Amino acid sequence: MSERLEAQFAFLNEADRLKSVLRATTLVDGSRPENSGEHSWHLALYALVLADQAGPGVSIDRVIRMLILHDLVEIDTGDVPIHARNGQAHASPETLAAEAKAADRIFGLLPSDLGDSLRTLWEEFEAAETPDARFAKSLDRVQPVMANLMSGGGTWATYEVTYGQLESRVGTKIARGAPALWDWVKEKARPWFG
Amino acid sequence: MSERLEAQFAFLNEADRLKSVLRATTLVDGSRPENSGEHSWHLALYALVLADQAGPGVSIDRVIRMLILHDLVEIDTGDVPIHARNGQAHASPETLAAEAKAADRIFGLLPSDLGDSLRTLWEEFEAAETPDARFAKSLDRVQPVMANLMSGGGTWATYEVTYGQLESRVGTKIARGAPALWDWVKEKARPWFG
Ligand SMILES: [Ca+2]
């Protein structure tokens, strides 16, 4: 057991570094950039509170597990802002390859049974094909929209985003997993774009 | 539905403030104090990774839900360091009353069905009587021990803690929910105290 616990804590201590990965989005009060550790916590809370927005067959507990893990690869790759490089950086082949390499290293710190099961869950999130993953992705996209709205524009101002770009880069992904949520949020967001 | 979503997001936006509540413990690299939002994320990850340390009948998903919620009251009360005021501050009647008042306000932002169910879960955590709550409390106590060990002493140095005090204030609570974990961690911690 001792060897197993050594590996579990090697991973948990390494994971601490996610608290030092900064995102483009700020806190709701605009005081500083958000880090990816606290962002992951906030998303887990989103899942608990917005469970009634999930479609049939969604397991909120699996969604929460995905959201806890979803950004760990950023310890090696950093956060890739969705509106950076004119919206092209996020799913580029380079980004995906770097994230897969990071997943090898980070989940590889764990005992292999555990590392494999957590990595499989992360891959399900990334693929965004299952109902659980689609709902998790919707929450990951809606939380920065709320932070931007609350803080007076945030990354929309930084990257000169138009309402059309918000709709195509963000709205379509929110709507895929939580259509009623996007209907509500877009009415909140539209006035900001004038 | 619109009124319900307004209440859900009033709560989620307010919850963002937990990211600005600073703890006595630092990050593992010692670079800055940890905040209670990222701490809550790290504990949820602890639960996922250390699930094999939970006793029979523990639901890891309920444990994770508790850990996501467990510190929200600190938005109003601040974090109360376990070793502050010679170990007496943590469960004082004043602290407990302030936390109950904070829970009224913060969970009260939610639609009442949802606010009641999340508050009930937080109360279960606080009471530390059920197997789920005891395991959650063990994780909440073990994570700062690891941060102190990794960062060269942390709050043990700040508050001049002895090994006997660590055992009585922290060890007994870790052992209640995760006895084998405390057996392992105490061997790691003891040498620091000389
Ligand atoms: Ca991200």
Side-chain angles (χ1 to χ4, degrees):
Chain A
M1 187 186 77
S2 167
E3 213 175 301
R4 187 170 172 89
L5 276 170
E6 293 285 350
Q8 286 162 309
F9 277 104
F11 172 87
L12 288 169
N13 288 331
E14 179 70 12
D16 200 78
R17 295 174 59 200
L18 195 62
K19 302 168 187 170
S20 301
V21 173
L22 298 185
R23 295 166 45 79
T25 312
T26 67
L27 300 192
V28 158
D29 68 8
S31 59
R32 62 165 174 82
E34 186 185 40
N35 73 60
S36 293
E38 64 200 3
H39 163 71
S40 299
W41 163 73
H42 207 181
L43 288 182
L45 189 65
Y46 264 64
L48 262 184
V49 165
L50 296 171
D52 58 2
Q53 294 290 327
V58 170
S59 161
I60 291 299
D61 289 313
R62 288 189 84 247
V63 168
I64 289 172
R65 288 173 177 238
M66 279 181 199
L67 291 169
I68 291 165
L69 298 173
H70 84 292
D71 270 346
L72 280 172
V73 293
E74 295 183 0
I75 290 170
D76 288 355
T77 65
D79 179 56
V80 180
I82 194 153
H83 296 298
R85 282 179 41 206
N86 202 26
Q88 299 302 303
H90 208 266
S92 73
E94 299 77 30
T95 300
L96 297 179
E99 288 180 348
K101 198 176 153 201
D104 288 344
R105 184 186 75 78
I106 295 165
F107 293 115
L109 294 170
L110 285 165
S112 63
D113 61 317
L114 191 51
D116 290 350
S117 83
L118 298 190
R119 192 196 169 124
T120 301
L121 200 59
W122 173 74
E123 285 172 351
E124 179 180 337
F125 171 82
E126 284 292 300
E129 300 291 351
T130 63
D132 291 351
R134 285 183 189 193
F135 187 62
K137 285 267 180 189
S138 295
L139 299 178
D140 189 30
R141 292 288 179 267
V142 84
Q143 186 256 7
V145 172
M146 293 311 295
N148 282 352
L149 273 171
M150 297 293 291
S151 63
T155 58
W156 300 331
T158 315
Y159 295 111
E160 299 179 343
V161 176
T162 67
Y163 181 76
Q165 288 168 338
L166 178 70
E167 192 137 49
S168 63
R169 294 175 192 166
V170 174
T172 53
K173 281 161 191 167
I174 299 174
R176 239 179 128 211
L181 191 58
W182 175 240
D183 286 343
W184 183 82
V185 169
K186 76 181 175 195
E187 296 311 319
K188 297 274 169 193
R190 208 196 305 258
W192 187 88
F193 296 88
Chain B
M1 184 184 81
S2 167
E3 214 175 300
R4 187 171 173 88
L5 277 169
E6 293 284 349
Q8 287 162 308
F9 277 104
F11 172 87
L12 289 169
N13 288 331
E14 179 70 11
D16 199 78
R17 294 174 60 200
L18 195 62
K19 301 168 188 171
S20 300
V21 173
L22 298 186
R23 295 165 45 79
T25 312
T26 67
L27 300 192
V28 158
D29 68 7
S31 59
R32 62 165 174 81
E34 186 185 40
N35 73 59
S36 293
E38 63 199 6
H39 163 71
S40 300
W41 163 74
H42 207 181
L43 288 183
L45 190 64
Y46 265 63
L48 260 184
V49 165
L50 296 171
D52 57 3
Q53 295 290 326
V58 170
S59 159
I60 291 299
D61 289 312
R62 288 189 83 247
V63 168
I64 290 172
R65 288 173 179 238
M66 281 181 199
L67 291 169
I68 292 165
L69 299 172
H70 84 291
D71 270 346
L72 280 171
V73 293
E74 295 183 358
I75 291 170
D76 287 356
T77 65
D79 178 55
V80 180
I82 194 154
H83 296 298
R85 282 180 39 209
N86 201 26
Q88 299 302 302
H90 208 264
S92 73
E94 298 78 30
T95 300
L96 297 178
E99 288 179 349
K101 199 176 153 201
D104 288 345
R105 185 186 76 77
I106 295 165
F107 293 115
L109 294 169
L110 285 165
S112 63
D113 61 316
L114 191 52
D116 290 350
S117 82
L118 298 191
R119 193 198 168 122
T120 300
L121 200 58
W122 172 75
E123 286 172 351
E124 180 180 336
F125 171 82
E126 283 291 302
E129 300 291 351
T130 64
D132 291 351
R134 287 184 188 192
F135 187 62
K137 285 268 181 188
S138 295
L139 300 178
D140 189 29
R141 292 287 178 269
V142 84
Q143 185 255 7
V145 171
M146 294 311 295
N148 281 352
L149 271 173
M150 298 293 292
S151 64
T155 59
W156 300 331
T158 315
Y159 295 110
E160 300 180 344
V161 175
T162 66
Y163 181 75
Q165 287 168 339
L166 178 70
E167 191 137 50
S168 63
R169 294 177 191 164
V170 174
T172 53
K173 281 160 191 165
I174 298 173
R176 237 179 130 211
L181 192 57
W182 174 240
D183 285 343
W184 184 82
V185 169
K186 74 180 175 194
E187 296 310 320
K188 297 274 169 192
R190 207 195 306 257
W192 188 87
F193 295 88

